[in-house]
Amino acid sequence: MGIKEQPKLPRFRIVANILLAVSGLFLLLNLFLPGLFASGPAGVPYSLFIHQVQEGEVSRVSVGQNQIIYQLKAENAEPAQVFATTPIFDLELPKLLEEKGVEFAATPPPKNTWFTTLLSWVIPPLIFIGIWQFFLARGGGGGGPQGALSIGKSKAKVYVEGESAKITFADVAGVEEAKTELVEIVDFLKTPARFTQIGARIPKGVLLVGPPGTGKTLLAKAVAGEAGVPFFSISGSEFVELFVGVGSSRVRDLFEQAKKQAPCIVFIDELDAIGKSRSSNGFYGGNDEREQTLNQLLTEMDGFAAGDATVIVLAATNRPETLDPALLRPGRFDRQVLVDRPDLSGREAILKIHAQKVKLGDDVNLKAIATRTPGFAGADLANLVNEAALLAARNLRERVAQEDFAEAIERVVAGLEKKSRVMNETEKKIVAYHEVGHAMVGALTTGNGRVEKISIIPRGMAALGYTLQLPTEDRFLMNEAELRGQIATLLGGRSAEEIVFNSITTGASNDLQRATDLAERMVTAYGMSKVLGPLAYQQGQQAAFLGNGGANPRRAVSEDTSKAIDSEVKEIVETAHEQALEILRQNRDLLEAIATQLLETEVIEGEKLHDLLSQVKPVTHS
Ligand code: ADP
Ligand code: MG
Ligand code: ZN
């Protein structure tokens, strides 16, 4: 990758290392000092010394702990010869010297002793400090912001543009909408004047949201590569550290550095690790550390006013629903960019990018591979290409062949099964008709938003496909017909399965649940049943409207009333079911046509979808 990484070595780490080195040196000196300064008299064996004493040749002796220095009797006018020897444990020596009339004394302590003594006092503490520092550094710091050794320095990595191939938008495919949004950010970083001149305020925070492996981190790096500005990257999980207070000091430090280098990008990967909703912190009353870190992040984001330093905060998460709502308020991460799993053409484009890195055989058909891999995210596709290349190499092929891809798909799918669903052809077909059923019934009944998108790309664990309806206006009240329309739409999926396959799968259980809940609320909460009248049969009226709230516990009612409620609910649901079936039966050809098209492209949206759905004919009663 073309991006160079410059890890910052914290200052205290360097200090600790110097301390260690110096104390080590002192220790060595201390050991060898006596030896170093002990030049001088020639050394002789102890036995020779004793012999010379006995012969009466020695005039004076100076007995030290480590050394005995002695002088021979001067002959003639020549200077007296001095020798040294190493003492052994010899209690007889003084007696012998006295006998022979040798002048002797103990050696005074050597002159440099004060120095070594000092060292022996100073070095051990130094070593301990060194070791302490070392472990602190490994433990991720401590002591908080007031720490004298500036512990808690940001671990953010600074990416700067490398000369070799950097990551650009050309390396990212299949997420066109996200790219369009981010191109705008890059434009702003490059030519801020163009925007500020007309008074446009650029978003401070952009949150990339999407399932794992769809290229969020990659997109952020591409933004940095395209904009050519410094890029501070830190992962949310790195924030959550052992020592209280360090997380928040990291955030502060990160933004300090960023402001100095503006214009620049701060990228917080896996934001959910720190941005978890403060209320959902679980049994132990919350994680103080995380909360402080989050608060610090909010403070920092509010801190830099629009206009002065151009610091854009990019963040990524695959669990936006767990994020603290405070993070999503205007002025913070007010822009959210969906990075979804790629559709058919997107997958082909991603395969093309990654296939450039391997040698492809002539028979390889990337489109066919893309068709076989619904639900694969970018990372899965990158992995697939690599897996195929490995297989080709194992089979001693020069180039990757189509059959390598076929085998690789099987392997990757086996590994993926736990993560996300990969559907077989039959399942895909059922899901396609199911979703088209929702869309067509939704198009003909009131009370639903406009159908904007139908997709058979699996999302997460639960949904195999989905129909996206967006409200055309804000609705606060709904009438009975609209609620019945909603129920019919919910049943549209199952109805389509019934008509086309003459059988029912388990896929519709969530639809049925929601339809039944809605019908029950109509009867027990909204008083929409003629039989039961305008009575509330639920306890405590909560805001259980417009599809959100669950059913409240029923008021204590008589057995008869309870039966009546059940039969009314059943009536509403069954009527809606009939309505849905009728719509689809009378538009059977269109159902086939749209489903066939959906199977081909996997996603139909926007104008194209509106055109198709406008052809749905209202039910005629004959
Ligand atoms: P995320 O951060 O969304 O979990 P990453 O950006 O880490 O996913 O993706 C991992 C790798 O998968 C990337 O480095 C890239 O090789 C590949 N990849 C993912 N999405 C795409 C994409 N849209 N286009 C090209 N490659 C992709
Ligand atoms: Mg990532
Ligand atoms: Zn459904």
Side-chain angles (χ1 to χ4, degrees):
M1 310 262 175
I3 271 169
K4 239 188 277 164
E5 200 174 295
Q6 294 184 327
K8 296 223 154 171
L9 196 59
R11 203 173 349 142
F12 69 87
R13 256 324 251 287
I14 302 174
V15 171
N17 286 342
I18 292 175
L19 275 178
L20 265 181
V22 168
S23 47
L25 199 69
F26 277 8
L27 190 69
L28 283 178
L29 274 180
N30 194 19
L31 281 176
F32 292 109
L33 263 178
L36 278 178
F37 291 96
S39 58
V44 297
Y46 188 71
S47 55
L48 178 64
F49 162 65
I50 294 297
H51 179 75
Q52 283 171 330
V53 172
Q54 279 166 346
E55 295 297 305
E57 293 168 13
V58 176
S59 69
R60 291 157 67 193
V61 176
S62 155
V63 184
Q65 224 166 25
N66 301 317
Q67 206 177 33
I68 294 174
I69 297 173
Y70 64 96
Q71 196 176 20
L72 295 187
K73 281 175 183 155
E75 284 158 24
N76 310 325
E78 279 178 37
Q81 276 181 294
V82 179
F83 294 95
T85 187
T86 315
I88 58 168
F89 188 70
D90 187 354
L91 285 173
E92 303 294 305
L93 185 60
K95 219 192 260 172
L96 178 67
L97 293 174
E98 207 170 0
E99 253 170 41
K100 296 293 172 187
V102 181
E103 182 190 335
F104 70 96
T107 321
K111 282 215 186 76
N112 58 9
T113 307
W114 66 268
F115 184 65
T116 34
T117 313
L118 189 69
L119 281 184
S120 67
W121 279 100
V122 169
I123 286 173
L126 275 182
I127 291 174
F128 277 114
I129 290 173
I131 291 171
W132 178 63
Q133 286 295 329
F134 178 69
F135 279 106
L136 270 190
R138 302 191 70 191
Q146 69 276 58
L149 289 153
S150 70
I151 287 160
K153 277 282 171 197
S154 168
K155 270 188 185 164
K157 300 174 193 92
V158 184
Y159 292 93
V160 276
E161 253 183 286
E163 301 80 47
S164 51
K166 56 188 175 182
I167 294 181
T168 66
F169 284 134
D171 296 312
V172 193
V175 282
E176 298 311 320
E177 284 151 74
K179 260 161 85 171
T180 319
E181 293 259 3
L182 293 173
V183 164
E184 198 179 297
I185 303 288
V186 170
D187 279 348
F188 179 76
L189 286 168
K190 276 185 171 162
T191 53
R194 215 178 76 206
F195 291 79
T196 49
Q197 169 202 323
I198 48 171
R201 192 182 61 83
I202 258 333
K204 266 186 218 170
V206 179
L207 182 61
L208 303 173
V209 180
T214 46
K216 297 180 294 297
T217 309
L218 189 68
L219 268 169
K221 284 183 183 168
V223 169
E226 296 272 350
V229 298
F231 181 73
F232 294 85
S233 157
I234 189 159
S235 165
S237 48
E238 281 171 24
F239 275 143
V240 183
E241 291 276 347
L242 211 54
F243 298 94
V244 174
V246 176
S248 58
S249 82
R250 288 243 163 87
V251 179
R252 194 179 313 126
D253 183 67
L254 176 66
F255 280 87
E256 240 161 55
Q257 286 182 39
K259 273 180 234 167
K260 275 183 214 144
Q261 305 231 16
C264 69
I265 296 169
V266 173
F267 176 54
I268 305 174
D269 211 348
E270 283 143 40
L271 181 68
D272 40 284
I274 38 167
K276 271 221 186 76
S277 174
R278 277 170 285 194
S279 55
S280 70
N281 265 337
F283 186 67
Y284 294 102
N287 181 337
D288 254 6
E289 159 66 5
R290 187 188 290 137
E291 211 159 289
Q292 283 180 22
T293 310
L294 175 59
N295 286 337
Q296 189 64 37
L297 181 64
L298 295 175
T299 315
E300 294 292 347
M301 289 198 71
D302 291 340
F304 48 83
D308 53 53
T310 330
V311 180
I312 290 185
V313 185
L314 272 183
T317 181
N318 43 36
R319 296 159 63 203
E321 69 284 352
T322 66
L323 287 185
D324 197 296
L327 273 172
L328 306 177
R329 275 216 290 274
R332 289 164 184 169
F333 291 107
D334 41 7
R335 221 14 113 89
Q336 294 184 35
V337 176
L338 180 66
V339 187
D340 214 343
R341 291 208 176 92
D343 60 5
L344 182 64
S345 61
R347 290 199 300 273
E348 193 183 344
I350 295 173
L351 281 169
K352 221 171 253 164
I353 289 175
H354 290 283
Q356 282 166 6
K357 292 169 204 152
V358 300
K359 284 187 189 161
L360 285 191
D362 296 331
D363 65 329
V364 173
N365 181 349
L366 293 182
K367 172 133 200 223
I369 299 165
T371 314
R372 290 195 48 194
T373 49
F376 274 47
D380 304 325
L381 293 168
N383 183 23
L384 175 69
V385 172
N386 187 50
E387 201 66 40
L390 287 175
L391 284 169
R394 190 173 310 157
N395 295 332
L396 302 177
R397 268 195 272 276
E398 303 255 296
R399 287 163 181 280
V400 187
Q402 187 77 3
E403 59 183 288
D404 296 321
F405 275 103
E407 202 180 329
I409 289 174
E410 270 165 43
R411 290 189 176 205
V412 175
V413 166
L416 278 182
E417 238 144 38
K418 286 163 244 121
K419 270 199 293 174
S420 69
R421 308 253 184 113
V422 176
M423 293 182 284
N424 64 34
E425 287 302 314
T426 332
E427 282 174 332
K428 230 170 113 174
K429 212 170 151 192
I430 293 172
V431 173
Y433 279 98
H434 180 104
E435 298 305 332
V436 176
H438 282 309
M440 286 176 65
V441 176
L444 217 57
T445 52
T446 51
N448 305 286
R450 194 165 152 136
V451 184
E452 291 292 343
K453 180 176 182 176
I454 41 180
S455 158
I456 53 169
I457 299 171
R459 281 158 64 97
M461 293 302 285
L464 295 174
Y466 63 97
T467 303
L468 179 70
Q469 293 172 315
L470 294 178
T472 45
E473 55 191 338
D474 278 351
R475 293 299 304 268
F476 300 104
L477 291 174
M478 283 203 172
N479 61 33
E480 190 185 334
E482 287 170 332
L483 288 173
R484 284 181 187 267
Q486 279 195 348
I487 296 174
T489 305
L490 283 169
L491 295 168
R494 177 196 154 109
S495 304
E497 287 183 44
E498 278 174 68
I499 292 172
V500 177
F501 303 100
N502 207 4
S503 73
I504 298 156
T505 62
T506 53
S509 66
N510 181 43
D511 296 338
L512 298 188
Q513 184 74 48
R514 284 168 59 197
T516 314
D517 283 353
L518 205 52
E520 184 164 342
R521 282 212 300 279
M522 282 175 71
V523 175
T524 62
Y526 310 144
M528 285 175 177
S529 158
K530 286 191 191 71
V531 180
L532 289 151
L535 287 173
Y537 293 94
Q538 286 186 359
Q539 272 174 347
Q541 189 57 50
Q542 283 167 18
F545 200 59
L546 294 181
N548 43 352
N552 291 326
R554 265 189 207 177
R555 202 180 284 281
V557 289
S558 71
E559 207 174 307
D560 285 350
T561 312
S562 182
K563 267 188 194 151
I565 291 174
D566 287 343
S567 81
E568 276 293 284
V569 169
K570 199 166 167 226
E571 190 272 331
I572 291 175
V573 173
E574 275 180 353
T575 312
H577 186 200
E578 277 309 317
Q579 191 190 358
L581 283 172
E582 206 47 43
I583 291 171
L584 294 174
R585 278 199 200 107
Q586 295 199 12
N587 288 281
R588 178 71 195 261
D589 293 346
L590 189 60
L591 172 62
E592 296 287 345
I594 303 179
T596 313
Q597 193 167 338
L598 182 59
L599 275 168
E600 234 163 66
T601 59
E602 293 176 1
V603 176
I604 308 180
E605 57 189 328
E607 277 311 307
K608 203 170 160 196
L609 184 63
H610 297 157
D611 279 353
L612 287 168
L613 291 179
S614 66
Q615 297 170 34
V616 184
K617 289 190 290 291
V619 176
T620 51
H621 297 281
S622 50

